[in-house]
Amino acid sequence: FTAAKRKGVAADPLALMADPADAAAAAAAQITADADAAAANALKNKEAEDALRRQSLKKYEVTTVTSNIKGAGTDAQVFVVLTGSKGKSMDMKLENSPDNFERGRTDAFMLEIPDLGDVHTVMVGHNGKGSKPRWHLEKLIVLNKTDPGVNPAVFTCGQWMGADVGDGQLSRILKLGTQALTSRKYKVLVKTSDIKARTPMSS
């Protein structure tokens, strides 16, 4: 400004100093642009992560067979936890119909979860709620539907789950290849012979 006056030229202060309002607007625009770019990058990263996660997910079909005995069905909320050679799942609710888990019924559920490897243990149970919470499970079957050629894993149960029956447990831990112990009633008939005892002869 001083140098301009020495040359006899009137200096315009607005030309030498930026308008504060314009500077603030430019800064705000830059901040918005940076935020938009960060959001776009975050979305791309999330989409990439979701794609990788979907690639690592497996479809497991869990089939329950409710026993065909009196009172075996339940209207409680049933859940399973699967454990395999590569990991363990979270608690997963089994529900796709109001008629699930009726006496003698077979129900199938499709679960999409991270790869567990070979499933060898299942915890199955219910929350003990409802008008008929007790449940008698005959067996549970787990089948990897993603990898072809994998044999189904069959877990035998044959036990009650209910607070008012049996040992009062609401859940069971089932191991692959083990037979659950169940009690059975047997009727034993004893018939005594209708013959007269022989008297030894004296010598």
Side-chain angles (χ1 to χ4, degrees), residues 111-154:
L111 306 175
E112 194 170 8
I113 56 179
D115 186 9
L116 301 178
D118 296 327
V119 178
H120 54 72
T121 304
V122 172
M123 182 172 74
V124 57
H126 60 77
N127 62 2
K129 297 181 180 180
S131 60
K132 298 185 300 179
R134 62 163 62 177
W135 185 35
H136 197 283
L137 176 66
E138 179 181 329
K139 61 183 175 180
L140 185 146
I141 304 166
V142 179
L143 177 61
N144 183 339
K145 300 287 286 187
T146 301
D147 300 326
V150 178
N151 293 325
V154 180

Side-chain angles (χ1 to χ4, degrees), residues 16-124:
L16 300 176
M17 181 181 297
D19 188 343
D22 292 342
Q30 185 61 48
I31 292 174
T32 301
D34 292 342
D36 291 342
N41 289 333
L43 180 60
K44 289 182 180 179
N45 292 335
K46 184 178 184 304
E47 291 175 348
E49 291 174 359
D50 290 343
L52 290 175
R53 183 179 62 85
R54 286 192 297 270
Q55 290 176 3
S56 64
L57 292 180
K58 301 283 187 178
K59 290 183 178 180
Y60 291 88
E61 183 181 66
V62 175
T63 302
T64 60
V65 180
T66 300
S67 302
N68 190 18
I69 61 176
K70 184 178 180 180
T74 183
D75 55 9
Q77 176 63 67
V78 174
F79 70 90
V80 294
V81 178
L82 308 180
T83 302
S85 57
K86 295 183 180 179
K88 180 179 180 181
S89 76
M90 63 180 70
D91 289 13
M92 298 176 292
K93 295 180 181 180
L94 301 181
E95 184 177 23
N96 58 20
S97 168
D99 296 326
N100 291 148
F101 317 116
E102 295 292 332
R103 172 180 174 178
R105 182 182 170 98
T106 298
D107 297 293
F109 308 88
M110 191 65 67
L111 306 175
E112 194 170 8
I113 56 179
D115 186 9
L116 301 178
D118 296 327
V119 178
H120 54 72
T121 304
V122 172
M123 182 172 74
V124 57

